[in-house]
Amino acid sequence: MKKLLTLLFLSALFSCGAGSSDSEELTDFPFSFTRDTVQVDPGDHLVFISNYMSSAAVSPDQKTLYNLNTKAPELEIIDLETLAYQESIPLEKEGPEGIGTFVSDFAVSEGGDFIFQGYRSFVKANAALDQYEIFKFDAQHLKGDSLAEKEGVDFGSIPSLDGNFLFATYSVQEFGGAAKGLAIVDLRTKELQKIPIPELESLTDFNINQFDEKGNPRMSTIERIWLLQVGDKVYLTNTSRNEAFIYDLQADSLQKKTFHSLLTSDSKKGLYTKTTNSDKEMSDAWAEKNREVNFNNLVYDDKNKKFWRVSTEMDRMIADSVVNKKVLTIFDQDLNQLHEQQIDFNLSQSLAFFKNGTLYTFINLEDELGFVRIKPTYE
């Protein structure tokens, strides 16, 4: 058995405004943090991290990490209290108890149900993994609000916390098709509710579309819409603009919030080639796009009632290399902006979560599972 390795580093206190003189102008919000790195004890097992933990989920009580090895397939159980691998549960890809052939997203509900998602694939299993249900989200399988011609429910959805609903965007299902709004599907009744959000349609303005010599579509770099449920609210944010849409499930109401940063741009500018049939132009445009601001997903700290988000934007060039700055923004539980500052650590878009007020973000430690832990202080 490998012993649990704890790498303590940079445990000095980082004060409010560290890394940026501008942050002192924003607020007197008291904030500091300490940091360390830990490695999960794998025992004699090789924990599956080849997909950067993109198919992992934390249990609602924050005591267990479920990591889906999509190649085996099997479900790895990791104890977050002891930071040690426990066991693996074998799964099937096909058949009546199959999780799907190409699973890319995985979640666990408050009731212990497991949800396996892939492109055009959605399977829900009970906690015992002995009952499976397959769902289809096209017009012929849904009741309630009707999907217009060419409309469909998008890939990249999330299940509700209780596992009874699906939250997704819906869009025009064609190359370069625009997102139209929020889709909510009751998994028990198969009823669809559509909440139009017209502002999402203009996100296509930031796409890069590549066509072949005959004008046939080849690929598109689309802007991501992030979804998160906290309590009775669903939050939609995107990679292009410094904004959020909040849908209140109880009040059936939609609110938009627009934020302002002193440290990054508030929107992509789109100063790159948008349409091309050249591989080189596509690559160059992608490189230019990556220099512009990018807003990552919200992560919620349920102990301190705060949202965290990291955004990136080009800071400077060193020879031919781009150096991006990373900016942490902190919001209160009503998504009011409290603080922002430049940081020097990364926040994994695949696996980052709060446990007892400490942020855990995935890191590859010589092909072993590890976490950088950020412990904040608000005083």
Side-chain angles (χ1 to χ4, degrees):
M1 292 279 289
K2 295 182 181 179
K3 293 186 177 181
L4 178 65
L5 175 64
T6 303
L7 304 173
L8 296 173
F9 77 106
L10 290 175
S11 57
L13 203 62
F14 286 74
S15 64
C16 171
S20 171
S21 59
D22 289 343
S23 61
E24 294 178 0
E25 303 173 20
L26 302 176
T27 179
D28 293 329
F29 180 73
F31 172 69
S32 59
F33 62 87
T34 57
R35 169 172 53 180
D36 69 359
T37 297
V38 293
Q39 180 178 309
V40 170
D41 181 359
D44 297 324
H45 180 78
L46 182 63
V47 177
F48 181 73
I49 63 171
S50 298
N51 288 351
Y52 306 101
M53 304 301 289
S54 61
S55 53
V58 178
S59 63
D61 63 8
Q62 302 172 341
K63 293 182 178 180
T64 305
L65 176 69
Y66 297 98
N67 184 38
L68 177 63
N69 181 334
T70 55
K71 292 183 178 179
E74 63 184 14
L75 190 60
E76 299 172 335
I77 313 298
I78 295 163
D79 189 330
L80 289 175
E81 301 290 287
T82 61
L83 289 172
Y85 165 81
Q86 298 294 299
E87 62 174 326
S88 291
I89 302 172
L91 300 169
E92 299 291 336
K93 288 187 177 182
E94 300 177 346
E97 295 188 348
I99 63 173
T101 306
F102 301 106
V103 177
S104 57
D105 292 304
F106 171 71
V108 57
S109 74
E110 292 172 332
D113 293 331
F114 297 108
I115 292 97
F116 307 90
Q117 296 187 69
Y119 182 65
R120 306 287 187 192
S121 169
F122 189 98
V123 176
K124 180 179 178 181
N126 65 352
L129 289 167
D130 58 10
Q131 295 178 24
Y132 291 75
E133 186 175 5
I134 299 173
F135 294 85
K136 302 291 183 183
F137 301 116
D138 51 31
Q140 70 183 85
H141 291 94
L142 295 174
K143 301 180 290 186
D145 292 343
S146 60
L147 291 165
E149 185 178 0
K150 294 187 178 180
E151 276 186 357
V153 176
D154 294 323
F155 173 67
S157 59
I158 62 169
S160 62
L161 298 175
D162 61 13
N164 292 327
F165 294 87
L166 173 87
F167 301 125
T169 53
Y170 67 99
S171 69
V172 178
Q173 303 288 292
E174 60 184 10
F175 185 77
K180 308 289 284 186
L182 173 65
I184 302 176
V185 180
D186 189 322
L187 299 178
R188 299 159 300 183
T189 64
K190 314 299 190 295
E191 283 193 89
L192 167 67
Q193 179 186 5
K194 292 163 52 175
I195 295 93
I197 307 176
E199 293 94 332
L200 297 180
E201 297 185 34
S202 61
L203 294 178
T204 56
D205 294 343
F206 303 103
N207 292 357
I208 306 172
N209 298 317
Q210 184 179 15
F211 300 84
D212 64 19
E213 297 297 335
K214 295 182 179 180
N216 299 311
R218 287 186 59 190
M219 66 179 297
S220 179
T221 65
I222 63 174
E223 294 304 300
R224 179 156 187 180
I225 298 172
W226 307 100
L227 294 163
L228 174 69
Q229 182 192 2
V230 176
D232 292 331
K233 295 179 179 178
V234 180
Y235 299 82
L236 295 89
T237 55
N238 61 75
T239 49
S240 298
R241 296 191 292 252
N242 199 3
E243 64 186 11
F245 298 90
I246 308 170
Y247 180 71
D248 189 314
L249 295 163
Q250 294 297 319
D252 188 23
S253 64
L254 182 71
Q255 177 187 11
K256 179 183 178 181
K257 290 228 171 193
T258 302
F259 310 111
H260 174 60
S261 173
L262 294 178
L263 304 181
T264 70
S265 303
D266 284 325
S267 174
K268 282 185 169 65
K269 296 178 175 63
L271 301 179
Y272 44 82
T273 299
K274 305 289 183 55
T275 304
T276 182
N277 56 14
S278 160
D279 287 341
K280 183 179 186 308
E281 278 190 357
M282 184 70 179
S283 177
D284 290 345
W286 179 245
E288 286 296 322
K289 183 175 184 176
N290 284 335
R291 298 183 185 191
E292 297 194 1
V293 68
N294 191 79
F295 301 99
N296 294 329
N297 54 308
L298 294 169
V299 183
Y300 185 63
D301 177 357
D302 62 340
K303 179 179 179 180
N304 295 298
K305 310 301 180 187
K306 302 285 192 296
F307 290 92
W308 283 28
R309 185 198 65 192
V310 171
S311 50
T312 59
E313 188 173 22
M314 187 183 78
D315 186 32
R316 63 191 184 278
M317 296 288 296
I318 298 181
D320 294 329
S321 299
V322 176
V323 178
N324 281 328
K325 60 182 172 182
K326 297 179 285 289
V327 174
L328 170 67
T329 307
I330 300 175
F331 306 87
D332 67 15
Q333 61 182 343
D334 296 317
L335 215 62
N336 297 310
Q337 184 172 325
L338 299 174
H339 175 69
E340 63 174 358
Q341 72 177 67
Q342 196 165 332
I343 56 174
D344 63 354
F345 60 86
N346 289 315
L347 201 63
S348 169
Q349 294 180 32
S350 300
L351 182 63
F353 58 93
F354 277 92
K355 173 177 168 59
N356 298 325
T358 296
L359 178 73
Y360 286 62
T361 181
F362 161 68
I363 187 173
N364 183 330
L365 293 175
E366 298 182 348
D367 295 328
E368 298 284 3
L369 172 60
F371 294 103
V372 175
R373 298 189 300 190
I374 311 295
K375 184 174 180 56
T377 300
Y378 304 101
E379 59 183 32

